[in-house]
Amino acid sequence: MRKKIVAGNWKMNMDYTSGMTLFSEVINMVNDEARGDQEVIVCPPSLFVYSLAQLAKGSSKVSVGAQNCHQADSGAFTGEISASQVKSVGAEYVILGHSERRQYFGENNELLAQKTDAVLKNGLRPIFCIGETLEERNQNVHFQLIKEQLEQGVFHLAEADFAKVVLAYEPVWAIGTGVTASPEQAQEIHAFIRKEIEAKYGVEVAENTTILYGGSCNPKNAAELFSQADIDGGLIGGASLKSRDFTDIVKAFNIQ
Ligand code: PEP
């Protein structure tokens, strides 16, 4: 049975005090209200990862991730953080390939494959994001693009390593826009992704891979999205900044 996951991506929001308050509220609510078989991951700005990971130690349901890391182990890369540093402060996950990293920081599939290797080598799990722009969807090249993102970003991995990858389908046109993919649109792509995994790694690996949906997911639309056969949870941006909204999304699994 694949894992149900809701992950929050705070992006470059929150100062230390407001972040700690938000995370404390999330931990308390999730501990009380989430089903036992769900995993909740919060990815704050890297400065706060250590403090959040300390707080998360008391929770069996909540863990912490970084939003990015460098592909090298260490060295003269001013301003960057390595996967081993992320690991050393208690995180368990790293988001890779978010469309904002691809768009604003020029991250391509080749670089992301290297980052994926670094993350796995250091005992962390990547939350690997893929998805098309509106232009690509309108040109009907989105299936091909997603196939390439998979092939070039994560399909070089051996099966045992691929099994540690969480995928997130995030249509770029839905991120932070308030426009959500319809459950049917999202399910269509998730089923396509699972078929591609099956073709590469076989049916068992495909069935066990968690594939999250991301893009303006909120407490109102989460239950319908999460009820789709191939949608195993969400990667949540804006709504992860409010403890009640985020926890209500976590609880959406219970009301399918
Ligand atoms: C994201 O940034 O990964 C995201 C899904 O953002 P939002 O929920 O705000 O659309």
Side-chain angles (χ1 to χ4, degrees):
M1 251 302 255
R2 52 187 180 258
K3 244 197 166 151
K4 304 288 186 195
I5 294 176
V6 174
N9 172 13
W10 289 2
K11 311 193 186 189
M12 199 173 70
N13 293 302
M14 295 282 151
D15 63 16
Y16 182 75
T17 307
S18 57
M20 290 299 275
T21 304
L22 170 63
F23 190 61
S24 304
E25 287 170 5
V26 166
I27 287 196
N28 289 335
M29 288 182 183
V30 167
N31 281 345
D32 288 348
E33 300 175 35
R35 254 174 26 190
D37 59 345
Q38 286 174 223
E39 188 168 354
V40 176
I41 304 162
V42 173
C43 303
S46 51
L47 268 179
F48 311 155
V49 168
Y50 173 77
S51 302
L52 265 62
Q54 290 293 313
L55 273 184
K57 274 185 180 168
S59 169
S60 60
K61 294 176 188 163
V62 182
S63 48
V64 175
Q67 297 173 15
N68 178 37
C69 70
H70 197 272
Q71 64 276 20
D73 285 336
S74 62
F77 300 104
T78 301
E80 292 288 333
I81 54 168
S82 70
S84 64
Q85 290 170 327
V86 173
K87 175 78 177 176
S88 73
V89 293
E92 292 174 49
Y93 290 86
V94 183
I95 299 174
L96 291 178
H98 192 281
S99 66
E100 288 151 18
R101 299 289 320 169
R102 291 178 188 263
Q103 190 182 344
Y104 304 136
F105 301 94
E107 297 196 0
N108 59 22
N109 293 332
E110 192 189 354
L111 174 70
L112 291 168
Q114 292 172 27
K115 291 191 176 202
T116 302
D117 292 343
V119 163
L120 288 163
K121 197 177 95 186
N122 284 284
L124 295 159
R125 298 182 62 187
I127 301 173
F128 194 89
C129 303
I130 54 182
E132 81 285 358
T133 62
L134 189 58
E135 201 182 2
E136 287 156 346
R137 178 167 275 263
N138 288 339
Q139 289 168 354
N140 207 25
V141 294
H142 48 306
F143 288 102
Q144 184 54 32
L145 179 105
I146 285 163
K147 191 175 157 79
E148 274 169 25
Q149 290 174 332
L150 288 169
E151 282 175 351
Q152 296 171 14
V154 286
F155 277 2
H156 65 287
L157 296 172
E159 187 179 312
D161 274 339
F162 182 81
K164 295 174 192 145
V165 174
V166 174
L167 290 172
Y169 168 58
E170 299 209 303
V172 181
W173 45 274
I175 296 177
T177 58
V179 179
T180 316
S182 69
E184 295 74 25
Q185 281 173 322
Q187 167 58 25
E188 181 185 37
I189 302 286
H190 281 235
F192 172 76
I193 293 168
R194 206 175 298 288
K195 276 275 163 236
E196 291 298 312
I197 300 168
E198 186 181 329
K200 170 75 186 169
Y201 293 103
V203 68
E204 201 184 328
V205 174
E207 282 305 315
N208 285 324
T209 303
T210 297
I211 310 175
L212 309 179
Y213 166 77
S216 299
C217 191
N218 61 45
K220 289 203 176 87
N221 58 30
E224 206 184 346
L225 285 160
F226 296 175
S227 69
Q228 302 300 307
D230 290 290
I231 301 183
D232 308 311
L235 179 54
I236 317 299
S240 71
L241 300 174
K242 291 189 184 144
S243 54
R244 185 71 271 166
D245 283 0
F246 187 60
T247 313
D248 283 347
I249 293 172
V250 172
K251 282 164 56 187
F253 285 114
N254 303 349
I255 48 176
Q256 285 169 19

